[in-house]
């Protein structure tokens, strides 16, 4: 680091000084540029290979005639539609520039540097970033069978705890929590502690015991449930997600929200996307088939994996995965290394189109022999 960079770093808040930026999946363009290869497939960011509903695309395109206007800072139409869908009041909804925005609001609005934020080992990397950014203490509880150990999380609560972040299902492990165990934890949490249940992959989960946490908001005023249009709805590039909580909590979250945090194309596309349940059903069916294809492929290759309820799966190579990741890049296949999640032997693969899954499995077979 240069002397100047060091001097600037010392000006940053202590929390920010400790941050490392989030490592996103490698963009296709970047791989093209760096390796000069074409015909690349990306199964690295849990994106939806079918894209959004045509209704959502049409709604977004229509907005471009009005692009000189600010978006509706209240997101009236989208909130109205969401309130109807989830049987909550509009005052219980907070709209975000992606659901990551809601996580950041929760931390900024409720967590001081004296507070502690609890989340699990192998949980979503954004949690550590938003916690450290405000200078709070991240309390990371050990995982159980790659998933959240709710008893360990409960025992980690102290008088300083202000927030517990739970991912269901979890990214990157794909593990999920059952309704009874999760609600029991929420019930046991003291009222000075807020609980976020991050349901980014909600639509994909087909397990009968998997809960929808939104109805619980009526019983637990300290609960925030987050959802996103980035995954099953296929709108990751537009950035829109939301939180549902008690109205008093939503009021606080909305205080730290920038008035125009969700752009007009995103608002229009998300609202329209909610009218196309058939599209989401197709996406979910494709994922189910893709998951079977990947699981069968791993089994054939003699590789272990963590069973996943999401649209991605972690495969265990049994040795350091980084060189395999690199070799896959040279084959034009982008997957996600998860060493930053303390999983150096795993690669996370998003389900793609059948031919993409096939190409990935063939490339994996090839590079494992190299
Ligand atoms: C992808 C993801 C999100 C959603 O991020 P957006 O900001 O809505 O795109 C949230 N939580 C988890 C665990 C995720 O994997």
């Amino acid at each position: 680091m240069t002397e100047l960079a060091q001097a600037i770093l010392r000006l940053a808040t202590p929390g920010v000084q400790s941050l490392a930026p989030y490592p996103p999946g490698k963009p296709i363009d970047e791989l093209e540029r760096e390796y000069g290869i074409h015909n690349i497939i990306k199964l690295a960011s849990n994106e939806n290979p079918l894209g959004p509903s045509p209704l959502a695309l049409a709604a977004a395109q229509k907005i471009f005639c009005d692009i000189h206007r600010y978006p509706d800072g209240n997101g009236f139409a989208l909130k109205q539609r969401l309130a109807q869908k989830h049987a909550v009041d509009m005052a219980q909804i907070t709209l975000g520039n992606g659901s990551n925005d809601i996580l950041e609001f929760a931390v900024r609005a409720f967590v001081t540097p004296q507070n502690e934020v609890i989340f699990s080992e192998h949980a979503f990397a954004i949690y550590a970033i938003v916690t450290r950014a405000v200078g709070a203490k991240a309390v990371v509880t050990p995982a159980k069978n790659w998933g959240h150990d709710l008893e360990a999380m409960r025992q980690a609560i102290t008088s300083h705890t202000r927030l517990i972040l739970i991912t269901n299902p979890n990214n990157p492990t794909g593990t999920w929590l059952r309704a009874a165990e999760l609600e029991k934890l929420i019930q046991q949490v003291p009222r000075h502690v807020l609980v976020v249940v991050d349901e980014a992959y909600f639509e994909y989960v087909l397990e009968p015991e998997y809960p929808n946490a939104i109805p619980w908001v009526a019983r637990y005023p300290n609960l925030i449930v987050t959802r996103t249009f980035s995954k099953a709805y296929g709108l990751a590039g537009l950035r829109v997600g939301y939180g549902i909580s008690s109205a008093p909590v939503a009021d606080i979250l909305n205080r730290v929200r920038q008035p125009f945090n969700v752009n007009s194309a995103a608002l229009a596309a998300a609202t329209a996307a909610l009218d196309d349940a058939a599209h989401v059903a197709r996406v979910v069916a494709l994922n189910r088939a893709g998951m079977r294809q990947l699981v069968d492929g791993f089994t054939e290759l003699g590789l272990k994996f963590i069973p996943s309820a999401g649209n991605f799966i972690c495969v265990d190579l049994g040795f350091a995965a980084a060189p395999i990741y690199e070799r896959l890049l040279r084959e034009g296949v982008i997957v996600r290394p998860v060493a930053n999640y303390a999983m150096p032997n795993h690669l996370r693969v998003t389900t793609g189109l059948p031919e993409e899954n096939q190409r990935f499995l063939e490339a994996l077979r090839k590079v494992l022999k190299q």
Side-chain angles (χ1 to χ4, degrees):
M1 199 188 287
T2 64
E3 240 172 77
L4 173 64
Q6 269 171 12
I8 299 285
L9 182 64
R10 279 194 296 273
L11 300 179
T13 62
V16 171
Q17 287 185 28
S18 75
L19 283 186
Y22 177 75
K26 197 174 191 65
I28 289 177
D29 289 357
E30 191 179 296
L31 184 59
E32 265 177 4
R33 255 194 333 267
E34 288 176 358
Y35 291 49
I37 46 180
H38 302 284
N39 195 13
I40 291 163
I41 61 168
K42 183 183 175 203
L43 303 173
S45 299
N46 301 347
E47 293 153 343
N48 174 347
L50 287 186
S53 157
L55 298 182
L57 275 184
Q61 275 159 1
K62 225 170 94 195
I63 282 298
F64 283 98
C65 306
D66 277 323
I67 217 79
H68 55 297
R69 306 278 176 208
Y70 277 102
D72 174 2
N74 262 322
F76 182 87
L78 177 56
K79 277 195 196 169
Q80 190 179 47
R81 191 65 188 71
L82 287 170
Q84 187 189 14
K85 178 182 166 72
H86 295 301
V88 297
D89 284 341
M90 286 171 66
Q92 294 179 260
I93 301 172
T94 309
L95 298 181
N97 191 270
S99 60
N100 284 342
D101 219 15
I102 310 293
L103 302 174
E104 208 172 284
F105 299 162
V107 172
R108 270 171 40 212
F110 289 102
V111 179
T112 71
Q114 286 72 45
N115 286 143
E116 296 169 357
V117 176
I118 300 172
F119 49 88
S120 174
E121 182 187 14
H122 315 306
F124 190 36
I126 295 292
Y127 302 165
I129 294 176
V130 295
T131 301
R132 293 219 185 99
V134 298
K137 183 175 169 196
V139 177
V140 184
T141 54
K144 195 166 87 183
N145 300 324
W146 300 107
H148 290 44
D149 181 343
L150 293 182
E151 184 49 27
M153 296 183 93
R154 190 185 65 77
Q155 284 179 12
I157 297 170
T158 71
S159 60
H160 298 289
T161 307
R162 183 52 49 78
L163 189 62
I164 303 180
L165 299 166
I166 294 173
T167 341
N168 197 28
N170 185 46
N171 172 21
T173 57
T175 51
W176 58 282
L177 297 160
R178 286 168 176 73
E181 55 180 335
L182 182 54
E183 191 181 1
K184 186 171 145 218
L185 172 85
I186 296 167
Q187 223 162 28
Q188 289 171 334
V189 165
R191 287 295 182 262
H192 72 270
V193 176
L194 288 128
V195 180
V196 170
V197 177
D198 178 342
E199 295 185 337
Y201 301 95
F202 177 84
E203 295 79 7
Y204 284 113
V205 188
L206 300 169
E207 310 287 345
E209 285 178 82
Y210 173 74
N212 170 5
I214 290 177
W216 297 347
V217 164
R219 294 203 283 286
Y220 307 105
N222 53 338
L223 174 64
I224 303 166
V225 182
T226 61
R227 297 275 182 95
T228 183
F229 288 93
S230 297
K231 304 287 158 60
Y233 287 98
L235 292 169
L238 279 180
R239 314 301 303 128
V240 51
Y242 57 100
I244 294 190
S245 62
S246 62
V249 167
D251 173 57
I252 301 294
L253 296 176
N254 274 290
R255 289 184 196 197
V256 294
R257 184 180 67 81
Q258 298 253 345
F260 305 114
N261 65 324
V262 185
N263 71 71
S264 41
L267 288 171
T271 309
L274 291 171
D275 286 330
D276 199 346
H279 183 75
V280 177
R282 276 191 293 275
V283 170
V284 171
L286 181 81
N287 178 55
R288 198 185 154 120
M291 191 60 81
R292 194 166 311 133
Q293 197 181 352
L294 291 181
V295 161
D296 288 349
F298 296 149
T299 307
E300 236 180 84
L301 291 169
L303 296 172
K304 285 195 292 188
F305 54 86
I306 306 171
S308 169
N311 68 335
F312 53 88
I313 182 165
C314 280
V315 59
D316 182 358
L317 300 179
F319 54 87
I324 298 295
Y325 164 71
E326 284 294 332
R327 283 183 224 161
L328 284 170
L329 288 181
R330 291 180 192 284
E331 299 296 320
V333 177
I334 312 174
V335 297
R336 190 68 154 267
V338 281
N340 60 320
Y341 286 93
M343 300 170 68
N345 293 357
H346 287 82
L347 289 174
R348 192 194 68 191
V349 189
T350 306
T351 64
L353 299 170
E355 58 272 25
E356 293 176 323
N357 300 331
Q358 190 55 37
R359 215 182 112 191
F360 157 69
L361 287 169
E362 281 164 12
L364 182 62
R365 180 185 292 275
K366 176 175 166 192
V367 301
L368 281 173
K369 282 199 213 124
Q370 283 171 354

